[in-house]
Amino acid sequence: MSSEFSTADQAAITSGGDFWHTAAVESAGIPAVTVTDGPHGVRMQASGGDLLAGVPATCFPPAVASASTWDPELLRRMGEALGDECRAQDVAVLLGPGINLKRSPLGGRNFEYFSEDPILTGVLATEWVRGLQSKGVGASLKHFAVNSQETDRMRVSADVDERTLREIYLRAFQRVVTQAQPWTVMCAYNKINGVYASENHWLLTEVLRDEWGFEGLVVSDWGAVVDRVKAIAAGLDLTMPGPDADGDAALCEAVEAGQLDPALLRASAQRVRDLVTKAGERPAGGYDAAAHHALAREIAGRSVVLLKNEGGVLPLARSGVSVAVLGEFARTPRYQGGGSSQITPTQLDDALTQITAATSAAVRFAQGYTVEEAGAAPAETDSQPDSSEAGSSGAGSSQPGEALLAEAVAVARECDVAVVFVGSVHETEGADRDSLDLPAAHLALIERVAAANPRTVVVLSNGAVLATKPWDESVPALVEGWLLGQAGGSAIADVLFGRVNPSGRLAETIPLKLADHPSYLDFPGEHGHVRYGEGLHIGYRGFDAREQPVAYPFGFGLSYTTFTYGTARAVATETGVEVRVPVTNSGGRAGREVVQAYVSLPGSRVRRAPRELKAFASVEIAAGETTEVVLGIDRGDLAYWDTRLGRWVVEGGDYLVSVGASSRDIRTEATVPVPADAARVPLTTESSVGEWFADPRGAQLLGEAFARAAAEASDGDAGPMSAMAADPAMLMMLGSLPLSRMATFPGSPLRADQLDKLVTEANA
Ligand code: BGC
């Protein structure tokens, strides 16, 4: 670092120049660069006043939708397109992707996150980052870590056990960091086990840099830093936003007083400098807004999940079938959530216009509810409107509400098919939801229309799962339309009319009810703490472990065609396991199947979920064709985190690979022997008799010690404990005795003074 780069300069450059820029240091010739949100569009602040009002940019489908494609290739293309838009706006770093896991369906930012599964999240986000960075624009992997709720997000401590942290909440971060080297990682607001992420040396330095080899810069979430000195000491480089003169002064004083290692500040400042240099290398560019809109439409179409389609109601014929389009969301689309990710779109498709354009038959619209009504308090499950009493339908029965419903019913009666657009309304950063229920006015619309027209299709617009029971039983077709970005309206029409054969799959479980959810009892915590009580059993892992029914399982989604699976074969390879399975499109039209491989290890020494997703592939198969699908499972993904050794361990054994079309639709299974990692837990005086006997060397030494004690005893009787050790039933009881405790018992075959030698020999 050049000499003119003083401690004061170093301090200044480690906080922002303003809300969206790094600080320029003129004396050292360092310009400022722009960083901005993210993640599903480029939100460049348009003018001074409104932080969130952006320059028009393509609003791609938010992660809740794009994750449902289960297609890393699409995510890469989205990343590339975002990179082009960043270049056009001179953005150095785009603040995304957001890869926190969806721990609870109530999570207010679930629409910005991918999944309840770390592998699905990690694989998709890796490609997004690769795509973006291939354009010379940096990603910001966020929010590191365990930021799975909005309630009290700036203070709450996420209290998570070590295995759960490693195997679930950090796993996706580890994958993206090691495979794609994002230019930056954004540290979360919250605390992890009592320590702010921004002050967490273990997280930011030991895990992120020392273990995973992260080479980039750690930026704070906006306002996440409480103490700049502690943050730099922990491994955080850049505090945003800025400037922060007090913090700069505190850093200089801490260095002067010998309280902060100057090398740490220097290293952080250098990382900011490196980022600026790297950003300076990207060429300027422009982008084709129409082409990006088309890409947004393609991804949105691939995101739609067909949940139900009885009697072939869908796809709709493009002529001769009149369509009632009902619900304000068809005209005023809900296509993104609120908060920092909000994009001002370049154009906006609504479903009503697109449906009208897609068919030569009559299309009639009725509003059904107003957007204001959509915001009404959610219906109580036990007070849902009663469609048998026309005119008194519960919360949808206000005077104007009733008139809108009656109009919708009349239109539904006069058309061949009714398509009802409903969904959630309150989804925003900063607040969690408090219910999974649809607004009462929407429930009323579904009930009344379903009673009027047996060919009713419900299309949902929502950023996180909604309860679908029991109302989905009253309609033959249900389309999960998520928040689909600016081209959502055309994408929905593509799916409804079969121009796109649906291939989206649920990246999160839809429960029967909130109380069933594994997170239910421990979300969102209280008094500054949230306990991750379900541990490893997040999402489908928990539903499967407790053998609970769900409305629609993780990985589920229908198609307009059908697929049959042949027999899976699995072999261990140097890098893990390779699974091959023939899949046939047994229906009448081309389609895409998402083939999923779940793994379990029967008889594992550690607690594991019954099934864990380890690999998947989205494959296009022509009607009548068979494709051999090859799925590669990384050996590292078979590992569990051993808390005794403080590292990943692959247990040896016969792994069961279950291949299917969802987590609850397994079509074929294969068993594959996998060799164990060398992983010996050292024996100590605190290891139990059982643990000593479970270890080959320990068993030999302890056996010999017991035998010696018997031989040495003058009367040939080594005492009651040796006798016990000889009896298998007694040995089970003795098994839990730590060696040190055993040695204190009268008549023990071991003396305290023998233990250290035994331990040394056992571990030699
Ligand atoms: C959000 C981040 C975002 C940042 C900048 C924060 O409130 O948590 O995701 O990138 O603001 O807008």
Side-chain angles (χ1 to χ4, degrees):
M1 198 166 297
S2 55
S3 52
E4 74 269 32
F5 208 54
S6 63
T7 303
D9 289 341
Q10 291 168 27
I13 205 176
T14 60
S15 80
D18 62 21
F19 238 91
W20 308 117
H21 297 92
T22 58
V25 180
E26 272 160 30
S27 57
I30 305 171
V33 296
T34 307
V35 301
T36 199
D37 288 301
H40 47 265
V42 182
R43 185 178 56 78
M44 269 290 275
Q45 192 182 329
S47 63
D50 185 348
L51 276 179
L52 298 186
V55 172
T58 310
C59 180
F60 287 98
V64 61
S66 62
S68 304
T69 68
W70 291 58
D71 189 346
E73 201 256 337
L74 276 183
L75 272 289
R76 171 185 269 267
R77 284 166 59 205
M78 189 201 291
E80 288 167 357
L82 289 167
D84 285 337
E85 296 200 19
C86 283
R87 265 157 52 164
Q89 310 249 31
D90 196 23
V91 170
V93 174
L94 188 65
L95 303 176
I99 65 163
N100 297 103
L101 292 194
K102 301 187 195 202
R103 176 176 175 242
S104 162
L106 297 177
R109 256 181 129 169
N110 281 10
F111 68 90
E112 267 187 82
Y113 299 144
F114 290 92
S115 175
E116 64 190 23
D117 182 87
I119 302 277
L120 179 58
T121 299
V123 169
L124 297 178
T126 295
E127 288 310 310
W128 188 103
V129 171
R130 285 181 175 150
L132 180 82
Q133 296 194 164
S134 73
K135 299 289 181 172
V137 175
S140 195
L141 195 64
K142 69 191 189 182
H143 308 89
F144 191 53
V146 213
N147 181 183
S148 288
Q149 71 182 49
E150 295 302 282
T151 305
D152 203 17
R153 68 170 170 161
M154 297 194 77
R155 300 180 307 185
V156 73
S157 172
D159 297 337
V160 197
D161 71 87
E162 195 182 337
R163 266 194 76 196
T164 303
L165 257 181
R166 293 290 192 156
E167 293 179 35
I168 305 291
Y169 293 96
L170 296 184
R171 203 167 205 153
F173 283 99
Q174 176 170 9
R175 186 177 203 99
V176 184
V177 166
T178 55
Q179 298 192 359
Q181 279 292 349
W183 289 14
T184 78
V185 165
M186 185 191 292
C187 91
Y189 286 128
N190 51 284
K191 303 178 187 117
I192 296 143
N193 293 324
V195 183
Y196 274 115
S198 63
E199 297 176 5
N200 204 316
H201 186 267
W202 170 79
L203 186 72
L204 302 184
T205 297
E206 291 161 49
V207 173
L208 181 63
R209 290 193 191 281
D210 300 348
E211 280 182 34
W212 300 349
F214 177 59
E215 294 162 3
L217 165 144
V218 179
V219 59
S220 73
D221 198 343
W222 270 229
V225 171
V226 182
D227 181 322
R228 294 269 303 281
V229 177
K230 283 187 185 165
I232 292 279
L236 183 131
D237 303 305
L238 174 61
T239 293
M240 286 301 287
D244 171 28
D246 291 348
D248 296 351
L251 282 170
C252 293
E253 280 160 29
V255 166
E256 220 152 279
Q259 286 155 356
L260 176 67
D261 181 351
L264 292 177
L265 179 61
R266 212 164 35 235
S268 286
Q270 186 60 44
R271 288 192 194 109
V272 181
R273 226 177 157 173
D274 292 344
L275 180 84
V276 172
T277 308
K278 211 150 122 183
E281 288 159 6
R282 78 187 181 289
Y287 71 96
D288 178 344
H292 283 194
H293 185 75
L295 176 61
R297 176 174 178 169
E298 181 187 349
I299 299 169
R302 295 276 305 280
S303 304
V304 172
V305 184
L306 181 62
L307 291 177
K308 185 174 179 183
N309 188 22
E310 279 175 11
V313 174
L314 294 176
L316 302 176
R318 300 183 60 185
S319 62
V321 175
S322 58
V323 187
V325 175
L326 309 170
E328 183 60 47
F329 284 169
R331 186 169 63 175
T332 311
R334 239 185 69 68
Y335 62 100
Q336 63 179 333
S340 61
S341 68
Q342 221 167 297
I343 299 299
T344 303
T346 57
Q347 66 182 88
L348 183 59
D349 296 347
D350 66 273
L352 177 57
T353 306
Q354 300 299 327
I355 289 171
T356 308
T359 174
S360 60
V363 173
R364 293 189 52 197
F365 173 71
Q367 194 182 359
Y369 54 83
T370 61
V371 172
E372 292 73 52
E373 253 178 298
E380 295 298 326
T381 322
D382 56 1
S383 66
Q384 279 169 16
D386 178 0
S387 58
S388 61
E389 285 178 51
S392 64
S393 47
S397 67
S398 65
Q399 288 279 309
E402 178 51 34
L404 291 174
L405 286 174
E407 185 199 357
V409 167
V411 172
R413 280 214 182 95
E414 285 160 21
C415 292
D416 297 318
V417 175
V419 186
V420 182
F421 287 81
V422 293
S424 60
V425 273
H426 292 308
E427 273 150 323
T428 179
E429 176 177 343
D432 293 316
R433 299 188 301 163
D434 56 11
S435 163
L436 301 186
D437 292 335
L438 278 168
H442 295 207
L443 284 170
L445 182 64
I446 296 170
E447 291 230 4
R448 297 278 290 273
V449 171
N453 188 329
R455 300 182 67 193
T456 293
V457 179
V458 172
V459 178
L460 295 174
S461 299
N462 51 309
V465 297
L466 294 167
T468 60
K469 299 290 173 200
W471 57 261
D472 63 348
E473 279 147 31
S474 69
V475 295
L478 175 58
V479 176
E480 176 53 271
W482 306 121
L483 305 179
L484 289 174
Q486 69 179 42
S490 42
I492 286 288
D494 289 341
V495 169
L496 291 177
F497 289 94
R499 289 186 300 232
V500 166
N501 187 353
S503 60
R505 299 290 184 265
L506 293 179
E508 52 198 297
T509 307
I510 304 183
L512 284 173
K513 58 182 192 302
L514 182 60
D516 289 346
H517 202 273
S519 63
Y520 178 67
L521 295 178
D522 288 310
F523 183 91
E526 60 209 6
H527 305 155
H529 286 268
V530 51
R531 200 173 69 91
Y532 281 44
E534 74 285 8
L536 297 164
H537 294 94
I538 180 175
Y540 68 89
R541 289 168 164 79
F543 286 104
D544 288 350
R546 292 183 304 190
E547 299 178 355
Q548 270 182 307
V550 300
Y552 298 97
F554 177 81
F556 177 78
L558 298 172
S559 164
Y560 296 149
T561 185
T562 49
F563 297 95
T564 54
Y565 287 60
T567 304
R569 284 172 300 132
V571 292
T573 63
E574 267 185 19
T575 55
V577 170
E578 189 184 85
V579 186
R580 287 174 180 267
V581 61
V583 178
T584 302
N585 180 342
S586 45
R589 63 167 75 208
R592 217 168 236 287
E593 176 70 331
V594 176
V595 180
Q596 304 159 39
Y598 296 84
V599 166
S600 63
L601 177 58
S604 169
R605 289 191 303 260
V606 292
R607 179 92 208 183
R608 294 184 193 234
R611 269 181 297 290
E612 292 188 282
L613 180 76
K614 296 297 175 189
F616 57 92
S618 168
V619 280
E620 174 79 30
I621 310 177
E625 296 286 300
T626 299
T627 302
E628 185 174 57
V629 179
V630 184
L631 302 166
I633 299 174
D634 289 346
R635 183 175 164 86
D637 289 333
L638 297 175
Y640 74 94
W641 182 262
D642 193 299
T643 53
R644 302 161 306 175
L645 296 168
R647 70 172 173 88
W648 294 102
V649 172
V650 176
E651 237 183 307
D654 289 337
Y655 284 72
L656 181 66
V657 182
S658 308
V659 180
S662 89
S663 59
R664 296 228 168 148
D665 184 7
I666 301 305
R667 306 287 182 86
T668 171
E669 295 192 313
T671 295
V672 56
V674 172
D677 277 349
R680 183 174 177 274
V681 180
L683 290 166
T684 70
T685 58
E686 287 312 294
S687 304
S688 68
V689 172
E691 286 161 356
W692 275 80
F693 275 118
D695 180 273
R697 176 105 182 110
Q700 186 199 344
L701 289 169
L702 205 59
E704 285 169 8
F706 283 6
R708 247 190 334 268
E712 280 166 13
S714 52
D715 54 2
D717 178 2
M721 299 208 80
S722 286
M724 283 167 84
D727 174 344
M730 287 297 181
L731 191 57
M732 279 174 75
M733 194 175 92
L734 278 187
S736 65
L737 260 187
L739 236 52
S740 63
R741 240 64 64 75
M742 183 185 198
T744 65
F745 280 20
S748 165
L750 287 178
R751 294 185 322 271
D753 62 2
Q754 294 177 301
L755 297 186
D756 285 346
K757 184 159 170 266
L758 212 52
V759 167
T760 310
E761 284 178 10
N763 297 327

